[in-house]
Amino acid sequence: MLMRELDFEREESVFRWIEHSSPRLQLIYTARTCIGSQHQPELIELPNPKSQCRNSKPVIAFVLLALCACTAASAPLLIKINKGAASTALYTAPLSAGRSLVLDLSAPAITTPCSSGTTTTVTLSANTTNGANPLSPVSFAATATCAAAPSGAAGVAGLGRSSASFPAQVASTQKVANSFALCLPSDGRTGFSGNGVGAAIFGGGPFYLAPPADREAITTILSDLVPLRQPFAGIPGYFVTATGGIAIDGSVAAAGPLVVGLSTTVTYTQLRADVYSRVIAAFDRALGKTAKVAAVAPFELCYNSSKLGSSLLGYSVPQVDVLLEGGTNFTVVGGNSMAQVNTNTACFAFLKAASSTRPPVLIGGFQMENRLVVLDNAKQQLSFTGYLPARGFSCSNFNFTKAG
């Protein structure tokens, strides 16, 4: 192994710098070589550590491999998201030796079945990324809580606001930001665009969807930042405030302020009974009776989809706006407000919450599909894009081909 000796005029200052450097660099610095006393830079061979040298002096060696390893360890991690994989209808990621873990925004920890005890260590796998492609595989040890696994999955990747959550453990082990971006896919059956495969990036950085190759990162079209608020009823999930309530076609239907939660395990947005009745009535009035057909459980408002008309936004129906703190709107258009329940019928995909312990508004996975949702735990902020198919692409457009 060849290295170049670096000649420093003030060796004492170099020693002080090394003392405050990483242990890896300190180790390299303490290597000694059998060379003459001249200070001219020269190529030298790293000696056998068992050899004895009378004339030896410290050499600072900057090893490219070591530097590359440090860079790789600080790269964000990419995971593939599947909707409806195996026998579960939930969003999963193949994190545990190729086995799927359910992604749960409200769960505070990684969980897996155990034969005994309350916690265990699991090995999880992902890929580093530049935001556009996978770069290299990474495996790391994580602490998991022992619990039964959801049907069709090997466990749960808890994404909640907790030091034991998957994002927090990625941030700790990989030395990246405690922030993550979810791009939940549509399965192409209940929604307009997608093939059931999406992506998530943990650790910050840009997020690209392809093609085309020259498209700007979709992180450049994120909304203004919305502050995350305290957990609701002790649930370690993500909550914001709809200070302006909920509007249908520009008119407020349910006044704020309302606590709004995000969920990847609730399929369709759930509304507290009083909020639900106002929103349903306003949507019914705005759309009219022309295309209305009999209800299909669990939905109350259903329509003949051939009479609705469509565009890149999905079906041409009244827009739903959740009017958030700071003036940012979480806008739901036809592409993820209407669920296709059969060939000719689409239904307004908002449900009445069955439990009073839930927040007044709980945005379900269906309403978050095909938009990038970024949750920054370090800064306690939420941001998101609009409905991506309106721009001609979807969450299924991430390029999982490994970068060359």
Side-chain angles (χ1 to χ4, degrees), residues 75-92:
L77 296 190
L78 166 71
I79 66 172
K80 181 180 290 187
I81 300 176
N82 296 305
K83 181 181 180 182
S87 59
T88 176
L90 301 172
Y91 305 99
T92 61

Side-chain angles (χ1 to χ4, degrees), residues 210-300:
D214 60 351
R215 177 179 288 150
E216 64 181 355
I218 58 173
T219 36
T220 63
I221 58 171
L222 288 168
S223 68
D224 290 338
L225 298 170
V226 180
L228 293 171
R229 294 309 181 192
Q230 293 299 315
F232 179 84
I235 303 171
Y238 297 89
F239 301 91
V240 292
T241 304
T243 50
I246 299 177
I248 304 294
D249 247 9
S251 298
V252 174
L258 299 169
V259 176
V260 178
L262 304 176
S263 176
T264 48
T265 54
V266 167
T267 305
Y268 303 107
T269 294
Q270 296 186 1
L271 305 174
R272 192 177 63 197
D274 60 314
V275 177
Y276 175 80
S277 62
R278 292 185 177 94
V279 169
I280 285 289
F283 189 89
D284 193 26
R285 286 194 304 270
L287 187 53
K289 311 295 182 183
T290 305
K292 197 171 182 180
V293 297
V296 177
F299 306 112
E300 184 174 338

